[in-house]
């Protein structure tokens, strides 16, 4: 069975400082990896994904994540955060289901709080 | 606008009552999912459906039931057998064959009073 570990439940950081949100996964097969962001009382929005190819993936709002197979990690980074980045971030790993579709297994989430 | 619509956004239920949460999508996705979210526990899969008239239990199906009579609809019923139903419920869908991300609705917050 696949699992995802997000060790940091909360990460406080000052505005314009860099941040890293850690994610480690366990899986016996090839994986697809995702980061989702959730604002209060809303659904999840896809931030970025790794399916194949380049191990460094980027989002349109300055976040990036690097797939590291040897360390089974997919850490999320941003060089300079903004107040608007305050949200909860979820790492997820995808398992392909027989017959199609994919089952996402989520980590427990990291609350990023950006302070002035 | 394509997307996933969950209704209602907030729902209150008395103990012992069944309640049905609605999920509709117009993305033409084959697969649909229901997740439950509790603070500090991430999202846990309740049920999923890969095709009309077929669905499978996820990791925490006890006390829940679903149907998939139409491609665009995947309602979730929280029954009185669910011991701790107060939670945030998220519906999602994805195209098949797999390998791509899931798209989420805005969620329904269920509170048992």
């Amino acid at each position: 069975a696949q699992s995802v570990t997000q060790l940091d439940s909360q990460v406080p950081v000052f505005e314009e400082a860099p941040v890293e949100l850690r994610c480690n996964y366990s899986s016996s097969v090839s994986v697809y990896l995702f980061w989702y962001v959730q604002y209060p009382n809303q659904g999840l929005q896809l931030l970025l994904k790794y399916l194949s190819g380049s191990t460094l993936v980027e989002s349109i709002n300055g976040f990036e994540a690097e797939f590291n197979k040897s360390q089974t990690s997919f850490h999320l980074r941003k060089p300079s955060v903004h107040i608007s980045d305050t949200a909860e971030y979820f790492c997820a790993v995808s398992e392909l289901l027989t017959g199609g579709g994919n089952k996402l297994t989520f980590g427990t989430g990291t609350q990023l709080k950006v302070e002035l | 606008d394509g997307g996933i619509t969950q209704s209602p956004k907030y729902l209150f239920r008395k103990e012992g009552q069944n309640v049905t949460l609605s999920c509709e999508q117009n993305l033409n996705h084959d697969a649909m999912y229901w997740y439950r979210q509790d603070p500090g526990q991430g999202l846990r899969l309740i049920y999923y459906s890969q095709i009309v008239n077929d669905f499978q239990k996820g990791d925490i199906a006890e006390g829940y039931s679903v149907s998939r009579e139409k491609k665009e609809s995947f309602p979730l019923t929280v029954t009185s057998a669910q011991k701790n139903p107060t939670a945030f419920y998220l519906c999602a869908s994805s195209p098949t064959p797999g390998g791509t991300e899931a798209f989420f609705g805005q969620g329904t917050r269920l509170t048992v009073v």
Side-chain angles (χ1 to χ4, degrees), chain A residues 36 38 41 49 98 100-102, chain B residues 9 33 37 50 96 101-102:
Chain A
Y36 283 85
Q38 184 181 36
N41 291 312
K49 61 185 177 184
T98 303
N102 54 295
Chain B
K9 189 169 178 64
Y33 314 82
Q37 184 178 16
Q50 296 171 261
T96 55
E101 69 272 20

Side-chain angles (χ1 to χ4, degrees), chain A residues 20-85:
Chain A
E20 178 180 84
L21 307 184
R22 296 180 293 169
C23 173
N24 289 88
Y25 68 92
S26 67
S27 176
S28 58
V29 297
S30 297
V31 296
Y32 300 131
L33 294 159
F34 306 86
W35 276 100
Y36 283 85
V37 59
Q38 184 181 36
Y39 299 99
N41 291 312
Q42 293 189 25
L44 275 67
Q45 302 171 32
L46 179 69
L47 191 59
L48 47 74
K49 61 185 177 184
Y50 170 77
L51 303 181
S52 64
S54 173
T55 56
L56 184 65
V57 290
E58 299 177 350
S59 71
I60 58 174
N61 56 356
F63 282 95
E64 64 179 30
E66 185 162 18
F67 170 57
N68 188 319
K69 187 175 182 179
S70 63
Q71 297 186 9
T72 60
S73 68
F74 191 54
H75 300 331
L76 182 69
R77 302 184 182 96
K78 189 171 186 180
S80 177
V81 295
H82 188 267
I83 283 285
S84 60
D85 294 324

Side-chain angles (χ1 to χ4, degrees), chain A residues 38 40-44, chain B residues 4-13 19-24 33-38 43 46 64 74-78 85-92 104-112:
Chain A
Q38 184 181 36
N41 291 312
Q42 293 189 25
L44 275 67
Chain B
I4 301 175
T5 302
Q6 290 187 242
S7 61
K9 189 169 178 64
Y10 299 95
L11 189 56
F12 295 87
R13 187 196 92 174
V19 63
T20 298
L21 283 59
S22 170
C23 178
E24 303 276 333
Y33 314 82
W34 274 105
Y35 286 89
R36 171 183 171 137
Q37 184 178 16
D38 296 283
L43 281 73
I46 305 172
Y64 300 97
F74 191 40
L76 173 74
T77 297
V78 184
T86 295
F88 191 51
Y89 291 88
L90 287 161
C91 179
F104 283 82
Q106 293 298 293
T108 293
R109 185 166 297 282
L110 173 64
T111 303
V112 174

Side-chain angles (χ1 to χ4, degrees), chain B residues 17-66:
Chain B
Q17 288 182 338
N18 292 354
V19 63
T20 298
L21 283 59
S22 170
C23 178
E24 303 276 333
Q25 56 101 356
N26 60 4
L27 300 168
N28 200 34
H29 287 171
D30 288 311
M32 296 187 74
Y33 314 82
W34 274 105
Y35 286 89
R36 171 183 171 137
Q37 184 178 16
D38 296 283
Q41 295 193 49
L43 281 73
R44 294 178 290 169
L45 183 64
I46 305 172
Y47 267 98
Y48 63 96
S49 169
Q50 296 171 261
I51 197 169
V52 175
N53 292 323
D54 188 41
F55 49 83
Q56 287 80 39
K57 293 181 179 180
D59 301 317
I60 56 164
E62 185 176 351
Y64 300 97
S65 66
V66 294

